Amino acid sequence: MHSRIPLTRDLVLVGGGHTHALILRKWGMNPLPGVRLTVINPGATAPYSGMLPGFVAGHYTRAELDIDLVQLARFAEARIINGAVNGIDLKAKTISVPGRPPISYDVAAIDIGITSEMPKLPGFAEYGVPAKPLGVFASRWDSFRSTASDPHVAVIGGGVAGAELAMAMAHALRARGQTPDIHLLDRGKVLAVLGDTARQKMKSALAANGVTIHEDASAVAVHSDGVECEGGTVVPSDFTVGAAGAKPHDWQSDIGLQMHEGFIWTDAHLQTSDPAIFAVGDCAHFSADPRPKAGVYAVRQAPVHFDNLRAALSGGTLRSYKPQKDYLKLISLGDKKALAEKFGTAMAGGLLWKWKDHIDRKFMNQFENLQMMDQPDLPLTIADGVRDALGDKPMCGGCGAKVGRTALRSALKSLPDHSRDDVVTVTGDDAALLRMGSIGQVISTDHLRSFTNDPVMMARIAAVHALGDIWAMGAKPQAATATIILPRTSPELQQRMLDEIMAAAAEIMGKAGAAIVGGHTSLGDEMTIGFTVTGLCDKPITIAGGKAGNALILTKPLGSGVIMAAEMAGKAAGADVIGALETMCADQAKASEILTEAHAMTDVTGFGLAGHLAGLCEASNAGAVVALGDVPLMQGARALSEDGIKSTLYGDNRSGAGSIFGADGPVADLLFDPQTAGGLLASVPAERSQQILARLKKAGYEDAAIIGHLTEQTGTIKVQ
């Protein structure tokens, strides 16, 4: 790690294609100190095209097909932005992603692949699915394969990719006991790019798989039950795939870069007409020696691309990429057989499938078992207790970095009693109530140690987190001040990061009705974002009003602590991480309004559900019963807990939660999981609980649930 070296330059990778996946891996092993690396991609994963036919045929799982970009970003210490770029401003040197402030760059690289023009075919958008983007196709096929009966499939486009998909789908459906009707359509001759020998072998393989070939068949429309061709012929299909008409993404032609037939022109250095931007993979046209669109070229561009990006950021010399003249084509034939073709020579068989499978798995294995963040090396001689204090893993961020509940309560008890009659506090409430005549104002402060390198995501989560104390007391947010610590950076990057943070914070606070009225900034070892927030209320809801028999409602699922702890270790699925971040960003404004009937309420944050429930029970002189099976969990949280992963605050939360007995095990452990920007926990009248829950769900809180009730057994929580 180079955390003490100031950040001075922004490198932004647009797209997580094969080349950029390799760049992230290389960067993790050999980063350029002083560079903040960002990758932008619509989704947590990038499917590997070489294994797509095998996945379609059922030889690989979806997990085996996908490169996890979130894990790669963690390995490279990069920020990952989940979104689709829709523009680049060359003059301002900013990149546009819907729903975010502009993303600045000093050097940028584009690797977004190609898309399909099939949606222009009448009816295709409604009834067809393009073969690219691969992720969308893989999901749609997965659903069709598992539910189809008497399947009819049509593939429009008789190139190698279309033929591979047709045979793979035929094999997969037969393996499920179906008798599929598969058609391959081309407006000319199928497999025209192959040599005569390879073409004949492929046509024989198509016939062996029961695929009907339609040559000189131009599709003119797609219907729910078939593909209409010129002349009126209708090919039956209830799953129509578009494997023809590959084209560049529309937005890249509007950048202002030099283009070649819609593709981004690059020179021998993979550099575009703007020296600050590079382009690789299928989205680019390599002018020095044009090559076909094939993944093998994207993979072999990676070493040159990596060196040139570093050179562009450090004043070095660029080097040229020299593609091979031809490459070995290994083509899947449906079952575990493959065809190999190079220089006009072709052969087929099971051994070639094993060879292809070995090559593909070797490529994907590069992205497995990456060495993630570890504890720092310690000197030979250290003070007693250092190893115990350090623990066996890096400290979690967010609420996982809090001081334990026991230590905090002990410190608060030592404070002298105040004598102000305009300050009202309830022990355990995170917000204090100030009385100014008939006006009630609540005030609270909270901050988060960074657990993601994205300032926008951190600002949104920190704002929602700080507002939670206001919402939990039934107050309307009023004003906020920001406290921001940035890692040591150049003045230019400081401005960029502050702009992103304040824009994101203003969005959340403004939506909540609060004005940001000031703040404080400083530099430190890592990014920390916090807010002091005030709110107005007539009658605050505290944690002291719960009554025996009240139903307990939780508005958000649990699991952010364990998921982010696993993410630090490279053990969380990227989709689960992105899902957790999005859940943390979800505000509680409408939930607070709906829960005005609550007798007691708190937000579930660093001390976990058990700790915050214990505080509510203690203040309300009540106990509680929690139905473990009714507690909502984030996707992936249960599996990670079953694998033994815990936040660094878990132990303190467990010991500080008091008298809790009953169910035990990995799911019960999540009751002690520290939550960041967690949900509201409300004690509501039992007779109104179902109506309140229905209102919450209608308002968009789909995970909201009744998780138990309060009892008369003071201070005792039973989990069942």
Side-chain angles (χ1 to χ4, degrees):
M1 292 178 60
H2 303 271
S3 59
R4 295 188 179 274
I5 296 178
L7 299 171
T8 61
R9 293 290 183 270
D10 269 317
L11 169 60
V12 180
L13 305 181
V14 178
H18 300 354
T19 313
H20 279 177
L22 290 168
I23 295 299
L24 287 169
R25 179 179 179 274
K26 288 175 175 291
W27 198 274
M29 295 186 292
N30 185 22
L32 180 61
V35 174
R36 179 172 67 156
L37 177 61
T38 299
V39 58
I40 307 170
N41 192 72
T45 60
Y48 172 47
S49 60
M51 294 174 78
L52 179 66
F55 163 76
V56 171
H59 307 319
Y60 303 119
T61 65
R62 182 63 193 269
E64 291 174 312
L65 172 71
D66 286 339
I67 300 170
D68 195 313
L69 296 175
V70 175
Q71 291 184 3
L72 270 178
R74 168 61 72 179
F75 176 65
E77 295 189 27
R79 67 168 168 169
I80 184 164
I81 295 173
N82 179 35
V85 170
N86 63 2
I88 299 177
D89 187 327
L90 300 183
K91 185 176 181 180
K93 298 186 79 170
T94 58
I95 298 169
S96 300
V97 175
R100 288 185 60 101
I103 300 156
S104 297
Y105 67 89
D106 294 292
V107 173
I110 305 172
D111 182 17
I112 56 174
I114 52 181
T115 185
S116 171
E117 63 180 3
M118 296 302 300
K120 294 180 181 178
L121 182 66
F124 187 87
E126 293 81 10
Y127 305 114
V129 55
K132 291 192 175 184
L134 300 183
V136 175
F137 169 75
S139 296
R140 292 278 295 275
W141 165 249
D142 220 8
S143 176
F144 178 79
R145 174 177 57 184
S146 61
T147 59
S149 60
D150 188 27
H152 300 270
V153 176
V155 180
I156 304 173
V160 171
E164 278 190 299
L165 289 177
M167 289 186 284
M169 289 188 286
H171 175 80
L173 292 169
R174 282 198 306 272
R176 294 191 71 253
Q178 304 288 339
T179 304
D181 178 31
I182 310 289
H183 300 265
L184 180 65
L185 291 72
D186 197 277
R187 61 185 177 185
K189 301 299 180 185
V190 299
L191 302 164
V193 298
L194 296 178
D196 290 341
T197 302
R199 185 168 182 267
Q200 290 305 315
K201 288 182 178 292
M202 282 287 288
K203 291 182 74 173
S204 296
L206 286 163
N209 277 278
V211 177
T212 302
I213 297 172
H214 301 262
E215 296 186 316
D216 301 316
S218 294
V220 296
V222 177
H223 305 290
S224 62
D225 58 353
V227 178
E228 182 181 346
C229 299
E230 283 184 353
T233 301
V234 176
V235 175
S237 175
D238 44 25
F239 188 78
T240 299
V241 179
K247 73 179 189 69
H249 292 270
D250 292 336
W251 67 265
Q252 68 186 45
S253 63
D254 298 326
I255 299 173
L257 297 172
Q258 182 177 338
M259 295 285 165
H260 175 81
E261 297 179 352
F263 295 93
I264 301 172
W265 177 96
T266 67
D267 62 14
H269 305 132
L270 306 173
Q271 199 169 33
T272 71
S273 55
D274 184 325
I277 298 183
F278 293 75
V280 290
D282 288 351
C283 71
H285 170 74
F286 185 65
S287 65
D289 189 1
R291 299 281 91 196
K293 305 297 181 188
V296 65
Y297 294 113
V299 169
R300 295 188 180 182
Q301 285 174 339
V304 175
H305 189 40
F306 177 72
D307 289 346
N308 286 349
L309 291 175
R310 290 172 61 92
L313 290 157
S314 60
T317 301
L318 303 180
R319 67 188 185 101
S320 297
Y321 165 64
K322 297 180 173 60
Q324 67 272 36
K325 292 300 180 185
D326 195 9
Y327 65 96
L328 178 66
K329 303 175 187 70
L330 285 168
I331 303 168
S332 297
L333 302 179
D335 57 2
K336 291 188 176 182
K337 293 189 177 106
L339 179 142
E341 194 263 358
K342 189 175 183 181
F343 297 130
T345 301
M347 61 183 68
L351 288 176
L352 289 171
W353 162 261
K354 291 182 179 179
W355 187 17
K356 174 176 169 53
D357 177 61
H358 171 75
I359 292 171
D360 289 338
R361 290 187 184 275
K362 182 178 179 181
F363 175 80
M364 292 297 285
N365 285 343
Q366 298 177 92
F367 308 112
E368 299 293 328
N369 302 316
L370 300 170
Q371 184 62 47
M372 297 295 176
M373 184 188 304
D374 205 351
Q375 292 289 54
D377 293 331
L378 296 176
L380 291 176
T381 305
I382 55 177
D384 290 343
V386 168
R387 295 187 188 278
D388 290 336
L390 193 60
D392 59 358
K393 59 184 178 180
M395 182 173 66
C396 292
C399 274
K402 275 193 173 185
V403 174
R405 185 170 184 260
T406 302
L408 179 60
R409 293 185 68 188
S410 176
L412 291 174
K413 284 181 179 179
S414 67
L415 294 176
D417 291 335
H418 65 79
S419 57
R420 299 188 63 98
D421 57 10
D422 58 352
V423 177
V424 182
T425 60
V426 175
T427 301
D429 269 324
D430 291 328
L433 175 63
L434 311 180
R435 284 291 183 192
M436 290 161 284
S438 61
I439 300 175
Q441 183 185 56
V442 295
I443 182 170
S444 180
T445 189
D446 226 321
H447 71 272
L448 297 176
R449 173 178 175 266
S450 176
F451 52 84
T452 172
N453 290 326
D454 182 6
V456 170
M457 185 64 72
M458 274 307 305
R460 287 174 175 166
I461 293 171
V464 170
H465 182 74
L467 286 163
D469 295 334
I470 307 301
W471 286 321
M473 295 190 76
K476 301 287 186 182
Q478 176 194 27
T481 59
T483 303
I484 300 168
I485 301 174
L486 295 180
R488 193 177 177 194
T489 58
S490 67
E492 187 175 10
L493 259 69
Q494 289 176 28
Q495 187 65 62
R496 291 176 184 176
M497 295 176 76
L498 278 175
D499 286 346
E500 288 185 315
I501 289 169
M502 295 313 296
E507 172 198 352
I508 298 296
M509 291 293 180
K511 183 180 176 183
I516 298 180
V517 296
H520 176 79
T521 60
S522 61
L523 297 179
D525 284 342
E526 61 186 352
M527 182 168 60
T528 301
I529 302 175
F531 299 92
T532 298
V533 190
T534 63
L536 300 177
C537 62
D538 295 325
K539 184 179 179 182
I541 302 172
T542 72
I543 61 172
K547 303 179 186 302
N550 279 178
L552 293 170
I553 291 180
L554 180 65
T555 62
K556 278 189 182 183
L558 305 181
S560 62
V562 71
I563 290 174
M564 299 318 295
E567 192 269 342
M568 288 178 64
K571 295 180 180 179
D576 294 345
V577 173
I578 286 178
L581 293 172
E582 290 176 348
T583 297
M584 286 184 258
C585 285
D587 70 58
Q588 301 288 283
K590 290 187 181 299
S592 179
E593 294 176 5
I594 293 168
L595 291 166
T596 53
E597 297 178 53
H599 292 158
M601 189 154 62
T602 185
D603 61 333
V604 179
T605 54
F607 303 140
L609 175 63
H612 288 282
L613 177 56
L616 187 150
C617 288
E618 181 179 347
S620 298
N621 295 314
V625 171
V626 175
L628 190 60
D630 293 335
V631 176
L633 303 177
M634 293 182 186
Q635 179 178 303
R638 176 172 184 155
L640 291 171
S641 187
E642 289 172 345
D643 286 343
I645 295 176
K646 294 178 175 62
S647 168
T648 50
L649 193 58
Y650 168 84
D652 284 332
N653 281 354
R654 183 124 205 176
S655 61
S659 300
I660 296 180
F661 64 94
D664 203 357
V667 178
D669 286 346
L670 292 171
L671 301 180
F672 307 94
D673 189 49
Q675 302 304 290
T676 301
L680 298 176
L681 175 64
S683 168
V684 305
E687 65 275 12
R688 292 280 301 144
S689 60
Q690 289 296 339
Q691 293 94 322
I692 293 171
L693 181 63
R695 289 182 63 198
L696 286 167
K697 290 184 176 294
K698 185 177 180 180
Y701 301 95
E702 296 177 359
D703 292 305
I706 298 171
I707 63 167
H709 62 273
L710 294 185
T711 69
E712 294 180 349
Q713 295 177 295
T714 303
T716 299
I717 299 175
K718 182 179 180 180
V719 181
Q720 59 185 26

